[in-house]
Amino acid sequence: MLRLTELTLPLHHAPEDLPAAICKRLRIGPRELVRHVVARRAHDARDKTNIKLIYSVDVNVKDEGALLARFRKDRNVQQTPNTAYKFITQAPKGIKRPVVVGAGPCGLFVGLILAQMGFCPIILDRGKVVRERTKDTWDLWRRGVLHPESNVQFGEGGAGTFSDGKLYSRIKDPRHLDRKVLTEFVKAGAPPEILTEAHPHIGTFRLVTMVESLRETIEGLGGEYHWQHKVDGLDIVTDGAGERRVQGVHLANGEYIEADRVVMAIGHSARDTFAMLQAAGVHVEAKPFSIGVRIEHPQSWIDASRFGADAGNPILGAAEYHISHHCRNGRTVYSFCMCPGGTVVAATSEEGRVATNGMSQYSRNERNANSGFVVAIDPARDYPGDPLAGIALQRHWESLAFVAGGSNYRAPAQRVGDFLKGRPSTALGSVVPSYRPGVTPTDLAGCLPAFAVEAMREAIPVFGRQIAGYDHPDVVMTGVETRTSSPVRFTRGEDFQSLNTAGLFPAGEGAGYAGGILSAAVDGIKVAEAVARSLMP
């Protein structure tokens, strides 16, 4: 089978145009084309008056060898890659069961791959199963009642469950591990289109049922879950040669689990666990992240700006954007985690603090688009010293946002027009904010670093020239967005183990090695394989 890439057709092409384009590109007759399957479809809307679809297609032809020889110098005509996942081993009898801490996307795939190889992992999570967790999360959104151990950040499925469910990333993936992730998601109930769309997504409601299905698979293979089991200590011994090695975990409920292979897939908001690991002497470094707000526009504005007359075309769906600007003060402002047709959600996990995130359902049909509107910061410049200083910075601005919002988990919000003029908002305009339990009009400058405010004020008009309506005075900003990524990295070696603690495997977003559902899941596969290798004779 051949993989034909970069095959371009008009948005409004007829079904028969695709096989005709394949034949024309390969310079073969229709009878020589046996079969074709779309491997990937994207769109190019840089010219919104002439939007194009870009296909990668797998084709069977009558004389594959002759075609490969004819196009041997053409990088867009190659043999179809083998994307099937191959397990590196199967567990022998008598292996001590590995422990996985965290049941987000990374921990989920560590557990799944280990279970599929026969290692019967024990999975611990401080939160609840996803259905109970959803109820607790809605308590915050509807009534302003926070459950510190069961919320947007903690519980089955991790932070990715309450998000747009984006399933694409910029990671290099020569082994096609992303295909393994997407295939398992489809088995668990995701729509098959995620296997072919260039920018696939799922949405929260579907993620809930998928997470449950994957849990059932892991348990059916001998994996074991323990909910509301928070790890609050590691049992680490040092041998005569000075090597540190983990040999178990202590739980907040007083239990102890013996384990000489522990995966820490704890997510980017497990701040108390970060502190516990640092206190235990595990090597940790500060890592860059970003800070800002969520900005909302009517989705119809974004669709019209991006797609013109083709706005609303079901093939295109709700329009997205990705923009950035390097400011005069040396800061970079950019859009982050753009959620078409979605809502801004309360994402705090700590009492007395406000943090925001974005979420969409699979349909992406809510009134507003939202994205993070954030400023990049780095340890050397903004939070030097202690590796956990970035956490203190996050908490500082989240606490100020809590007070500015009314000290009741309402979020501070401001019209763009008022923000640009440096005055507080006393009321909001035509753009209705989606954040629940509600917003309080105020001055966001009191909830953000001065350098971030300066950079954001410079960037808004620039973005307005790229996206019509971006800088409309009634556009609403809701603060604060602080959980863009983990502020720490628990550095690991080539064997995926902690630099100074054998048997401890930092993994996923909380460890500083991923940024989103797909990259976290892929990292989970790699870590599971590393655990398996370390356990083999």
Side-chain angles (χ1 to χ4, degrees):
M1 184 173 283
L2 301 180
R3 170 72 55 85
L4 176 60
T5 58
E6 299 295 327
L7 190 64
T8 302
L9 289 171
L11 173 62
H12 299 286
H13 72 80
E16 61 270 19
D17 292 342
L18 181 56
I22 294 170
C23 292
K24 181 178 179 180
R25 178 68 180 79
L26 295 177
R27 303 198 297 273
I28 60 175
R31 293 183 179 180
E32 294 179 77
L33 177 62
V34 178
R35 176 174 172 265
H36 72 277
V37 178
V38 174
R40 187 178 181 85
R41 185 184 71 183
H43 64 260
D44 181 353
R46 287 174 293 180
D47 179 358
K48 61 186 175 186
T49 66
N50 184 26
I51 299 175
K52 298 175 181 178
L53 297 180
I54 304 171
Y55 290 92
S56 295
V57 187
D58 291 330
V59 298
N60 285 117
V61 294
K62 289 187 176 179
D63 194 343
E64 181 178 305
L67 275 180
L68 281 174
R70 183 191 305 171
F71 291 98
R72 64 185 181 278
K73 295 182 179 180
D74 190 334
R75 64 182 180 85
N76 292 320
V77 182
Q78 302 288 330
Q79 280 192 317
T80 298
N82 182 1
T83 61
Y85 180 73
K86 295 180 177 62
F87 294 100
I88 63 168
T89 189
Q90 286 293 314
K93 294 182 179 180
I95 291 291
K96 189 178 293 185
R97 299 172 73 180
V99 166
V100 181
V101 183
C106 180
L108 185 64
F109 271 84
V110 175
L112 179 65
I113 299 300
L114 286 174
Q116 290 175 334
M117 290 190 290
F119 287 93
C120 302
I122 299 170
I123 302 170
L124 311 175
D125 196 279
R126 66 193 296 169
K128 300 179 182 179
V129 294
V130 70
R131 297 283 173 176
E132 294 179 29
R133 176 194 178 201
T134 300
K135 294 177 183 177
D136 292 341
T137 299
W138 278 101
D139 263 355
L140 176 60
W141 294 352
R142 288 173 173 164
R143 303 193 296 123
V145 176
L146 174 67
H147 298 265
E149 297 295 332
S150 180
N151 47 60
V152 166
Q153 307 297 345
F154 301 144
E156 185 177 19
T161 303
F162 297 97
S163 71
D164 186 51
K166 297 178 184 66
L167 297 178
Y168 52 91
S169 74
R170 295 182 177 88
I171 60 173
K172 294 181 179 179
D173 188 20
R175 294 179 56 203
H176 306 285
L177 298 180
D178 60 341
R179 190 71 177 185
K180 169 66 170 174
V181 175
L182 298 179
T183 300
E184 292 292 349
F185 279 165
V186 170
K187 289 180 184 177
E193 307 92 80
I194 68 172
L195 297 174
T196 55
E197 289 298 315
H199 285 174
H201 74 283
I202 299 178
T204 290
F205 287 164
R206 293 198 180 205
L207 279 165
V208 167
T209 57
M210 286 165 46
V211 165
E212 291 177 320
S213 177
L214 286 164
R215 184 213 316 157
E216 292 173 0
T217 298
I218 292 170
E219 290 177 330
L221 293 169
E224 182 180 320
Y225 279 87
H226 295 272
W227 304 108
Q228 296 176 274
H229 277 55
K230 177 182 175 181
V231 173
D232 68 353
L234 294 181
D235 185 9
I236 297 173
V237 296
T238 304
D239 63 21
E243 182 182 40
R244 291 159 44 91
R245 174 170 292 278
V246 66
Q247 62 178 11
V249 295
H250 296 281
L251 305 180
N253 63 9
E255 293 181 32
Y256 173 79
I257 298 177
E258 183 180 350
D260 56 14
R261 301 296 189 280
V262 177
V263 178
M264 298 300 295
I266 52 179
H268 63 34
S269 292
R271 295 164 169 173
D272 49 359
T273 309
F274 295 163
M276 177 273 290
L277 291 170
Q278 183 192 41
V282 178
H283 183 84
V284 58
E285 302 171 353
K287 187 182 76 62
F289 64 102
S290 299
I291 190 168
V293 298
R294 279 272 150 184
I295 189 165
E296 289 189 86
H297 304 81
Q299 182 63 48
S300 59
W301 295 7
I302 307 301
D303 291 344
S305 178
R306 282 299 192 228
F307 298 149
D310 285 306
N313 187 303
I315 292 177
L316 300 174
E320 303 177 53
Y321 61 79
H322 305 276
I323 46 182
S324 66
H325 173 64
H326 189 68
C327 300
R328 289 187 295 270
N329 67 0
R331 304 287 178 168
T332 298
V333 183
Y334 64 101
S335 60
F336 168 80
C337 186
M338 196 269 168
C339 296
T343 56
V344 179
V345 299
T348 189
S349 53
E350 296 180 334
E351 294 177 337
R353 297 189 172 97
V354 162
T356 62
N357 194 14
M359 185 182 84
S360 296
Q361 300 302 342
Y362 181 70
S363 60
R364 288 180 165 176
N365 63 359
E366 298 293 334
R367 178 187 305 172
N368 289 350
N370 76 80
S371 79
F373 175 52
V374 296
V375 181
I377 57 179
D378 69 90
R381 185 175 187 179
D382 300 307
Y383 43 102
D386 191 295
L388 304 189
I391 295 173
L393 186 70
Q394 291 173 326
R395 283 173 165 161
H396 172 75
W397 297 111
E398 290 172 10
S399 296
L400 290 178
F402 179 77
V403 174
S407 298
N408 54 7
Y409 297 106
R410 292 171 68 89
Q414 191 172 16
R415 294 171 61 249
V416 158
D418 293 329
F419 179 78
L420 291 175
K421 293 181 179 179
R423 66 191 182 202
S425 288
T426 56
L428 300 178
S430 59
V431 180
V432 179
S434 59
Y435 178 93
R436 296 291 179 270
V439 303
T440 300
T442 186
D443 185 357
L444 286 171
C447 308
L448 295 165
F451 65 78
V453 173
E454 178 186 10
M456 291 160 68
R457 284 176 176 155
E458 179 182 328
I460 287 173
V462 175
F463 292 167
R465 292 191 289 271
Q466 299 176 38
I467 300 174
Y470 191 95
D471 56 350
H472 188 285
D474 279 355
V475 168
V476 65
M477 302 191 304
T478 305
V480 288
E481 170 81 73
T482 53
R483 313 282 182 99
T484 53
S485 65
S486 178
V488 298
R489 173 171 286 118
F490 289 92
T491 317
R492 62 197 188 194
E494 292 183 1
D495 60 0
F496 289 83
Q497 298 183 52
S498 165
L499 286 183
N500 70 343
T501 308
L504 185 69
F505 294 79
E509 193 159 352
Y513 287 96
I517 294 173
L518 188 61
S519 63
V522 167
D523 195 61
I525 295 175
K526 294 177 181 178
V527 169
E529 293 175 340
V531 172
R533 287 191 188 97
S534 75
L535 284 167
M536 297 305 293

